[in-house]
Amino acid sequence: MLPKFVFGLGAALTGFATLGHAECTREGLLAAAGSYLAAQASGSISGLKLSATNFTYQQNNKKADIKTGVLSQALSINLNRSTADTTACASYTMLISSGGSKPYVISTQIRHADGDADTISAIDSIVATTGDLFFNAAQTLSYIQKENWGSLDESQRANRTELKRVGDAYLDMWTDAKAADSIPWGTDCERVEGSALTKPCGASLPRGGSATNNGNRRYVIDETVGSVEVLCSFDSLGSLPDSHEIRLEGGKVKYVHTVTVMR
C-alpha cells in the first residue's frame, strides 16, 4: 500500500488505466507519470507501456538496463510530484523515499515519441542516495512537503521562453559572471540543494569562475505551474549527474530544487 503522502497517484493511475491511445495531452502525460510511480513503488516494470522499437533507459546520465536499475527496487514513496510539458511531449517526476536502509531522492524525465503519451520512448533518471551532495532524504522531505506547487493563474505564469531562459541562466552562473543578476529572484524564494536550505534563494550565488559549461541539458517546461526542470551534466564541478528544477510565480523565482549525484 502506498502512503498517504503520495499526492495524486491514485487519480493518475486511474486515468492511465482508462486510456486507449492517448495524444500528448497534459492528462495523458501525467497518467504515464503515474504508471512510472506505480512501477517504482512495486519494483516491477510490467505495467509500463514501453516502446517496443525505440526505448531508452538512462540512469545518472548513462544508458542502463531498466531491469537492473533503480526501477527494479520496490520503494516506499513518501512524496511525489509531476509536471507536464505538452510541447515536448514529456513529463518530470520528483519522488522522495526517505525510509528503509537505502533512501532516495529521484528526478525523472519521461519522453514520448510521435505525440503519443500512451507509449514511453525514454525514461531518464537522476538517482541520489546516501553519499551524494548534501543528501538527507528525510530533511529534504521536511522542506519540500511544505511547498505549494499548485497551478498558477494565467496572469502569474511566465511563458515557455522565459522559463527556459531562467533555467539556462541558473546553470550558467558557474561560467558567466553576469548570469546571476539576469535571474528574477523573488524576495521569499527558497533553494533546496540536496537537504541544504537557503532563504532567500538569491543569496550566496556563484558568479563565474569555471571554464566548463554545464552541458547535456534536457528540459521539461510546464507553464501551468511555472516550472522549468533541467537534467544535465554538472561539468563546471566535474561532470556530475544533476537535476535543477525552478518555479516562477508572477515572474519571480519562488523555489529551486537541486539533486546532484557525486558518484
Side-chain angles (χ1 to χ4, degrees):
M1 178 178 293
L2 295 180
K4 63 182 179 180
F5 299 106
V6 185
F7 305 126
L9 176 56
L13 294 180
T14 299
F16 187 79
T18 58
L19 285 173
H21 179 82
E23 294 182 354
C24 188
T25 63
R26 184 175 185 81
E27 294 75 17
L29 292 170
L30 294 178
S35 74
Y36 158 77
L37 286 165
Q40 188 65 84
S42 66
S44 171
I45 64 170
S46 62
L48 294 176
K49 294 187 178 180
L50 307 178
S51 172
T53 57
N54 186 29
F55 173 74
T56 300
Y57 178 71
Q58 185 162 277
Q59 185 168 308
N60 291 339
N61 288 349
K62 295 179 180 179
K63 288 185 178 180
D65 184 351
I66 192 173
K67 295 178 182 178
T68 58
V70 72
L71 270 170
S72 67
Q73 303 176 46
L75 300 183
S76 175
I77 301 174
N78 300 97
L79 183 146
N80 74 81
R81 176 175 46 75
S82 296
T83 57
D85 185 336
T86 57
T87 299
C89 204
S91 66
Y92 167 68
T93 296
M94 177 275 299
L95 70 85
I96 298 175
S97 176
S98 63
S101 59
K102 195 169 186 179
Y104 289 99
V105 177
I106 301 175
S107 296
T108 295
Q109 293 183 358
I110 299 174
R111 298 192 179 275
H112 308 263
D114 302 321
D116 175 15
D118 195 30
T119 304
I120 296 171
S121 60
I123 297 177
D124 187 356
S125 295
I126 302 297
V127 181
T129 190
T130 304
D132 289 320
L133 184 68
F134 306 136
F135 186 86
N136 183 323
Q139 188 66 61
T140 302
L141 175 64
S142 72
Y143 296 139
I144 292 181
Q145 66 185 359
K146 297 175 184 177
E147 298 175 351
N148 177 10
W149 280 77
S151 296
L152 297 171
D153 291 337
E154 289 195 20
S155 63
Q156 296 296 302
R157 298 177 187 176
N159 63 37
R160 185 179 184 85
T161 300
E162 173 66 359
L163 288 168
K164 183 177 183 296
R165 186 196 71 79
V166 171
D168 280 333
Y170 196 102
L171 290 172
D172 290 343
M173 290 192 297
W174 284 262
T175 52
D176 182 352
K178 298 179 180 180
D181 293 331
S182 74
I183 297 171
W185 303 107
T187 56
D188 60 347
C189 61
E190 301 180 4
R191 185 170 82 236
V192 179
E193 298 173 287
S195 62
L197 176 66
T198 301
K199 298 170 60 175
C201 59
S204 305
L205 299 171
R207 296 179 183 275
S210 174
T212 307
N213 195 42
N214 297 315
N216 192 21
R217 302 180 188 185
R218 296 93 76 193
Y219 305 86
V220 170
I221 299 171
D222 186 341
E223 300 97 318
T224 302
V225 297
S227 71
V228 53
E229 201 281 328
V230 191
L231 300 186
C232 70
S233 176
F234 211 90
D235 297 314
S236 295
L237 299 179
S239 298
L240 304 174
D242 179 85
S243 167
H244 270 73
E245 181 185 30
I246 301 169
R247 171 169 160 115
L248 272 67
E249 297 179 0
K252 302 291 186 179
V253 175
K254 175 64 175 179
Y255 300 122
V256 177
H257 296 160
T258 299
V259 180
T260 305
V261 174
M262 305 299 288
R263 294 163 280 117

